[in-house]
């Protein structure tokens, strides 16, 4: 979906296809027909943006077979879909029964991460529409904090990898005319957990094609104020290359038994749900929601908790829980509500539909398409309320 900002520039809205895990190229092509195209039809749109997730095997297949890449581009056109952004965070196995810590491997100290991201950049340059000159890719925030933070060689190795990537992106722009930018995505528990943590490493890399991906669920989970975060990024000259529109789980009174019972329904075995609370002594955290709820939890329960669980934007959880949709609204107002957009690529990223409590999970492809379309409708309404005009 495209929108005209009051300054005349185009803002793109997509939804991320990591909600439809597919490890192979055949799987990716099937999800375009079986999931993405039905969402477009529900929205009554001739064209729908998707934030494509290409796992390692799918990306390799496309990188080594130009005919397959052309066929994918044609499939996108037939389905009325367009791609200006990729989710390069998960490497493989995102549809496994248990993902948890595996999603952070390989990290940016491993040459496999550089190779994969280079492949994604080259593929995206070939997939973006002819009338679009810029593509974006989100990636993990360097690494999970351990053992990275204990290894004195880790940070220099990651910085060298990003410097190498920046050079490749410059060369790609020269040969294709497409500017591909990479957004490091702060996430709780990683060595770059917050936007503040991102300032030093990104300014050290110091390249305009390497910036930040702002995920509003992660921002909220760490209790960051959107205005403060964006002001600091701007002051440091760190660009927001893309933003992921997502909402976290919020518990105002985690000491109450009924609240803990409601939270326990979201403590599932597939994804990691980092949980945080803000106290007078600072931010306290647990790596997973089950850990936060367990006896001997590291989290005090006298202040609100937030959990890294991407809840559907249009359907906040039932009381006594809520979502952090207000944080998303505030961030979006700053991102695109000013005289010029701070980013032009927005991506709804609710990948946890099948990890929701059983009663809330969609039971069919049709119900899932309905839910994703409802999320995109909410995002569209937020954008038009900010003065953006939806384009055909």
């Amino acid at each position: 979906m495209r929108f005209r900002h009051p300054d005349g520039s185009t803002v793109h809205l997509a939804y991320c296809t990591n909600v439809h895990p597919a490890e192979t190229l055949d799987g990716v092509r099937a999800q375009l027909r079986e999931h993405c195209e039905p969402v477009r039809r529900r929205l009554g749109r001739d064209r729908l943006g998707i934030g494509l997730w290409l796992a390692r095997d799918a990306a390799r297949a496309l990188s080594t077979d130009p005919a397959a890449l052309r066929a994918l581009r044609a499939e996108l056109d037939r389905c009325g879909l367009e791609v200006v952004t990729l989710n390069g965070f998960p490497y493989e196995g995102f549809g496994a029964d248990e993902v948890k810590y595996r999603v952070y491997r390989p990290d940016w100290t491993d040459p496999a991460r550089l190779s994969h991201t280079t492949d994604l950049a080259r593929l995206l340059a070939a997939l973006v529409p002819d009338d679009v000159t810029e593509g974006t890719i989100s990636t993990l925030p360097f690494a999970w904090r351990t053992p990275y933070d204990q290894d004195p060689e880790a940070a220099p190795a990651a910085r060298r990898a990003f410097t190498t990537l920046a050079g490749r992106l410059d060369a790609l722009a020269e040969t294709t005319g497409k500017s591909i930018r990479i957004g490091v995505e702060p996430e709780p528990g990683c060595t770059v957990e917050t936007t503040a943590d991102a300032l030093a490493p990104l300014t050290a890399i110091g390249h305009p094609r390497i910036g930040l991906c702002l995920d509003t669920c992660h921002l909220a989970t760490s209790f960051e104020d959107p205005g403060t975060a964006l002001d600091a990024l701007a002051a440091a000259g760190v660009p927001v290359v893309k933003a992921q529109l997502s909402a976290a789980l919020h518990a105002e009174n985690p000491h109450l038994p009924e609240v803990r019972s409601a939270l326990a329904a979201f403590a599932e075995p597939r994804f990691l749900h980092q949980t945080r609370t803000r106290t007078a002594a600072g931010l306290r955290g647990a790596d997973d929601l089950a850990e936060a709820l367990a006896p001997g939890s590291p989290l005090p329960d006298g202040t609100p908790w937030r959990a890294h669980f991407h809840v559907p934007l249009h359907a906040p959880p039932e009381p006594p829980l809520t979502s952090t949709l207000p944080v998303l609204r505030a961030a979006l107002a700053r991102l695109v509500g000013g005289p010029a957009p701070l980013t032009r690529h927005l991506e709804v990223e609710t990948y946890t539909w099948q990890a929701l409590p059983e009663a809330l999970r969609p039971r069919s492809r049709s119900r899932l398409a309905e839910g994703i379309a409802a999320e995109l409708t909410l995002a569209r309404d937020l954008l038009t309320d900010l003065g953006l005009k939806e384009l055909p």
Side-chain angles (χ1 to χ4, degrees), residues 125-145:
L127 291 174
V128 293
D130 291 340
D131 64 341
V132 174
T133 59
E134 181 182 299
T136 57
I137 302 171
S138 47
T139 190
L140 81 161
F142 293 82
W144 185 254
R145 66 181 183 275

Side-chain angles (χ1 to χ4, degrees), residues 110-136:
D110 188 330
R113 176 60 66 171
L114 172 61
S115 176
H116 177 60
T117 309
T118 301
D119 284 346
L120 293 180
R122 292 169 177 160
L123 294 172
L124 182 56
L127 291 174
V128 293
D130 291 340
D131 64 341
V132 174
T133 59
E134 181 182 299
T136 57

Side-chain angles (χ1 to χ4, degrees), residues 20 34-35 38-39 42 353-354 362-374:
H20 317 300
E34 296 171 3
H35 295 288
V39 172
R42 282 185 176 274
W353 282 94
Q354 299 304 335
R363 297 298 182 183
S364 64
R365 289 177 185 170
S366 177
R367 294 298 299 271
L368 178 59
E370 179 183 324
I372 294 170

Side-chain angles (χ1 to χ4, degrees), residues 73 86 120-129 172 176 178-180:
R73 173 72 183 264
L86 300 180
L120 293 180
R122 292 169 177 160
L123 294 172
L124 182 56
L127 291 174
V128 293
L172 185 64
T176 67
K178 306 292 186 180
S179 175
I180 307 300

Side-chain angles (χ1 to χ4, degrees), residues 32-311:
L32 300 182
R33 300 186 300 270
E34 296 171 3
H35 295 288
C36 303
E37 187 175 7
V39 172
R40 177 185 64 75
R41 288 176 174 169
R42 282 185 176 274
L43 290 166
R45 303 281 308 178
D46 293 331
R47 174 175 55 188
L48 176 67
I50 58 170
L52 197 59
W53 175 58
L54 295 172
R56 178 199 63 179
D57 288 350
R60 284 182 179 174
L62 289 168
S63 296
T64 57
D65 187 346
L69 181 56
R70 289 193 297 271
L72 179 61
R73 173 72 183 264
E75 186 79 23
L76 288 164
D77 290 341
R78 281 194 298 271
C79 292
L81 305 170
E82 67 177 15
V83 175
V84 301
T85 190
L86 300 180
N87 189 327
F89 196 134
Y91 181 74
E92 62 183 346
F94 202 60
D97 291 338
E98 182 176 329
V99 179
K100 298 292 184 181
Y101 295 94
R102 291 172 51 192
V103 76
Y104 306 104
R105 299 193 298 266
D107 63 30
W108 275 99
T109 65
D110 188 330
R113 176 60 66 171
L114 172 61
S115 176
H116 177 60
T117 309
T118 301
D119 284 346
L120 293 180
R122 292 169 177 160
L123 294 172
L124 182 56
L127 291 174
V128 293
D130 291 340
D131 64 341
V132 174
T133 59
E134 181 182 299
T136 57
I137 302 171
S138 47
T139 190
L140 81 161
F142 293 82
W144 185 254
R145 66 181 183 275
T146 55
Y148 184 98
D149 289 352
Q150 286 77 45
D151 181 359
E153 300 300 320
R159 188 164 55 246
R160 287 193 298 271
F162 273 106
T163 299
T164 299
L165 177 63
R168 293 175 180 177
L169 296 176
D170 286 342
L172 185 64
E174 288 184 12
T175 58
T176 67
K178 306 292 186 180
S179 175
I180 307 300
R181 298 195 295 165
I182 308 298
V184 170
E185 182 183 334
E187 178 167 317
C190 293
T191 189
V192 173
E193 174 158 338
T194 66
T195 57
D197 294 334
L199 298 178
L202 290 180
T203 52
I205 294 167
H207 195 285
R209 297 193 198 279
I210 310 295
L212 186 127
C213 170
L214 185 74
D215 184 300
T216 58
C217 171
H218 303 173
L219 186 83
T221 300
S222 294
F223 288 85
E224 289 196 83
D225 173 71
T228 302
L230 289 167
D231 285 346
L233 291 168
V238 174
V240 180
V241 304
K242 69 181 278 190
Q244 290 174 322
L245 308 184
S246 54
L249 197 61
H250 180 93
E252 187 68 21
N253 298 295
H255 64 285
L256 297 177
E258 62 269 28
V259 175
R260 299 180 79 86
S261 177
L263 284 170
F266 287 84
E268 53 82 39
R270 185 171 175 186
F271 297 112
L272 201 63
H273 302 297
Q274 304 93 313
T275 306
R276 299 289 185 267
T277 188
R278 184 173 54 189
T279 71
L283 205 63
R284 299 279 296 277
D287 278 356
D288 210 349
L289 183 54
E291 177 188 347
L293 292 167
S297 167
L299 286 191
D301 60 9
T303 50
W305 287 7
R306 289 178 178 172
H308 172 220
F309 195 118
H310 290 220
V311 295

